[in-house]
Amino acid sequence: MNSNSDKALMLKVKKGELDKLGLLFERYHRGLYRYFYRMCRDKNTSEDLVQSVFERLLKYRQSYTGDGKFSTWLFSIARNQFNDHHRRFRRNGNPVQFDEDRLDMPEEKTGPVHQAKEKKEILEEALYALPEDYREVIILSRYEGLRYNEIAEILESTEGAIKVKMFRAMKELKDIALSFEKEYNYE
């Protein structure tokens, strides 16, 4: 095993070499931030959740077995952290709020770069309009590059169920994006 592989570094952290956690943080904090931001659309919450994941990783380092991919184990922790935060947030009577002012499109539509930007913004808005479970599988697969079997492990499901969920999520995403294009006349 490569001594700088994620697994090897985490096993060193488990043995008490806590300075190795910094290397893992450097490798994964951006991906975790993207995951959280796409799930909740709040910069501060996303940053806090990334920190919380690494705090949990440190606290529960003895439970790491080295079986499977490190990233799968890490995103399982991240998902649990997000769900815990989400439950606390709702229990305290706070509604989940998304940034509704993100579709500030200029009136003039010119050039392919501008059209590509509009399409990307519409796709982002459509992603947030999806149910959370659909949004999550798309984020993990398309944005974070995880394989279906890894997502199945994180979500405690089967690979077949994830494939079905992904198919349905992508179909719904397409339908929502098309309706947003019509609504905002970006055809």
Side-chain angles (χ1 to χ4, degrees):
M1 177 176 5
N2 179 350
S3 65
N4 283 329
S5 72
D6 298 337
K7 234 182 241 192
L9 289 172
M10 188 58 210
L11 289 170
K12 289 177 183 178
V13 169
K14 182 177 179 176
K15 291 179 184 173
E17 295 181 46
L18 303 184
D19 59 316
K20 303 300 183 198
L21 190 59
L23 291 171
L24 291 171
F25 180 84
E26 285 303 313
R27 289 180 186 176
Y28 285 97
H29 77 278
R30 286 181 195 89
L32 288 170
Y33 176 83
R34 285 190 309 263
Y35 167 73
F36 288 131
Y37 188 78
R38 286 188 172 106
M39 289 301 291
C40 71
R41 294 178 77 174
D42 183 90
K43 181 181 183 233
N44 293 329
T45 300
S46 299
E47 290 170 352
D48 290 346
L49 288 170
V50 169
Q51 292 298 323
S52 295
V53 165
F54 282 95
E55 288 170 7
R56 273 193 182 184
L57 190 143
L58 188 58
K59 183 177 180 179
Y60 298 109
R61 68 184 181 272
Q62 295 305 320
S63 70
Y64 182 71
T65 62
D67 297 335
K69 286 184 71 175
F70 172 78
S71 59
T72 304
W73 184 71
L74 183 66
F75 275 95
S76 294
I77 293 171
R79 180 174 193 261
N80 290 336
Q81 186 68 27
F82 178 78
N83 288 338
D84 290 350
H85 167 77
H86 200 58
R87 272 192 297 277
R88 279 192 307 272
F89 197 72
R90 282 193 174 156
R91 191 175 343 147
N92 292 337
N94 299 318
V96 177
Q97 295 179 346
F98 295 123
D99 183 2
E100 297 296 334
D101 299 325
R102 296 210 14 148
L103 278 177
D104 272 349
M105 302 286 181
E107 291 299 315
E108 236 178 291
K109 300 176 219 153
T110 57
V113 171
H114 180 74
Q115 289 174 346
K117 183 179 178 190
E118 287 176 349
K119 297 272 187 196
K120 182 181 178 199
E121 289 177 3
I122 288 171
L123 188 60
E124 287 288 322
E125 290 302 315
L127 181 66
Y128 295 110
L130 285 174
E132 191 175 292
D133 59 330
Y134 282 2
R135 185 169 64 239
E136 186 171 37
V137 295
I138 291 174
I139 290 168
L140 290 171
S141 174
R142 300 298 190 251
Y143 290 94
E144 297 309 319
L146 297 176
R147 294 187 171 109
Y148 291 146
N149 64 333
E150 296 169 327
I151 297 169
E153 189 176 330
I154 291 167
L155 302 182
E156 298 176 350
S157 186
T158 65
E159 187 173 346
I162 296 302
K163 287 178 182 179
V164 169
K165 187 177 281 192
M166 178 60 94
F167 176 80
R168 291 177 181 162
M170 293 301 285
K171 182 182 179 328
E172 190 166 335
L173 180 67
K174 180 181 175 184
D175 292 345
I176 292 170
L178 288 173
S179 73
F180 281 1
E181 281 184 5
K182 287 177 185 174
E183 182 179 338
Y184 293 102
N185 297 315
Y186 295 127
E187 298 179 40

